Amino acid sequence: MNTYGYIRISSIDQNENRQLDFMTALGIPAERLFIEKQSGKDTKRPQLQRLMSTVQSGDKVIVESISRFARNTRDLLELVEQLIVKGVEFISQKERIDTTTPTGKFMLTVFGAVAELERGYILQRQAEGIASAKSRGKYLGRPIKKAPGNFGELVKAWENKEIPLSKVCEQCGGISPATFYRRLAEYRLLRGNSG
């Protein structure tokens, strides 16, 4: 069980010393720090991806602030969900979010509820826009890739480490790992509600 630190600054001319001092005070060694000098506009960041593939069940990921980890609620929730699925704890010092505590889990639930509300509004506006465009004969859109009928079997094989995530994504129509984790969360939610 290891503790890892993630540090991000937006540009080369910014200084990461404040975040480094915070991680040093926690006793996290340099070899377990992932330092990113890049915008947080999305999750396609090399050090973040390295961190996500390095951590294992029982590990902890600590950030000074959630704004260093993700710039929007959707990305934050997706990243934390990926960590939780792997059995990794997430702690953000500034916001006092700690997935090992009831309060931290509650805070994530609040973030999730706000994100869900935002998504609902976006989908409502999108549906209205699509209906309007269709009524004028102007709608063109990319079809949503649905989970295949054998998704449950693929999940089970992946959980049992029989096939890698890349193979599951490939068999699900070439979806990204982030899309897979969203489908997985939906699948588990539906399975939980039906059981």
Side-chain angles (χ1 to χ4, degrees):
M1 297 194 317
N2 290 316
T3 300
Y4 294 89
Y6 179 76
I7 293 170
R8 185 185 65 78
I9 55 174
S10 297
S11 60
I12 303 294
D13 61 337
Q14 287 186 334
N15 192 310
E16 69 270 17
N17 287 344
R18 181 177 54 82
Q19 293 176 68
L20 267 173
D21 290 345
F22 167 71
M23 298 296 176
T24 303
L26 293 176
I28 301 173
E31 63 270 15
R32 291 205 301 266
L33 292 178
F34 292 80
I35 302 172
E36 202 93 65
K37 296 185 180 182
Q38 186 172 336
S39 166
K41 66 181 172 127
D42 59 39
T43 60
K44 294 176 181 140
R45 293 172 255 148
Q47 291 301 311
L48 175 62
Q49 295 306 317
R50 233 183 92 225
L51 170 68
M52 298 299 282
S53 63
T54 299
V55 292
Q56 300 175 6
S57 181
D59 289 344
K60 285 183 185 177
V61 170
I62 298 180
V63 295
E64 183 266 336
S65 164
I66 57 173
S67 67
R68 302 296 91 205
F69 197 56
R71 287 265 295 275
N72 63 59
T73 308
R74 180 179 48 83
D75 285 351
L76 172 68
L77 293 172
E78 282 181 11
L79 289 168
V80 173
E81 175 64 23
Q82 288 176 41
L83 291 173
I84 290 171
V85 165
K86 289 181 85 167
V88 176
E89 298 167 356
F90 174 78
I91 298 169
S92 175
Q93 179 67 25
K94 185 176 180 183
E95 294 82 7
R96 301 281 191 255
I97 293 175
D98 180 344
T99 59
T100 66
T101 68
T103 303
K105 287 176 183 170
F106 171 75
M107 289 299 293
L108 271 179
T109 303
V110 170
F111 277 120
V114 170
E116 189 62 35
L117 181 63
E118 288 172 357
R119 277 193 296 272
Y121 286 142
I122 289 167
L123 289 173
Q124 182 180 3
R125 288 192 301 269
Q126 185 181 35
E128 290 167 357
I130 289 169
S132 173
K134 277 184 175 177
S135 71
R136 289 173 292 159
K138 295 186 178 184
Y139 175 69
L140 293 173
R142 184 175 72 180
I144 295 172
K145 293 180 181 173
K146 296 195 184 277
N150 66 338
F151 187 72
E153 295 166 26
L154 291 170
V155 167
K156 189 172 183 181
W158 171 70
E159 288 175 335
N160 292 334
K161 301 189 183 335
E162 295 167 8
I163 57 174
L165 178 59
S166 59
K167 193 74 176 169
V168 176
C169 291
E170 183 183 306
Q171 291 187 27
C172 289
I175 61 174
S176 69
T179 300
F180 166 75
Y181 284 113
R182 278 197 302 275
R183 298 283 182 274
L184 179 63
E186 292 163 4
Y187 169 75
R188 287 179 172 162
L189 184 65
L190 289 172
R191 193 174 59 175
N193 288 344
S194 62

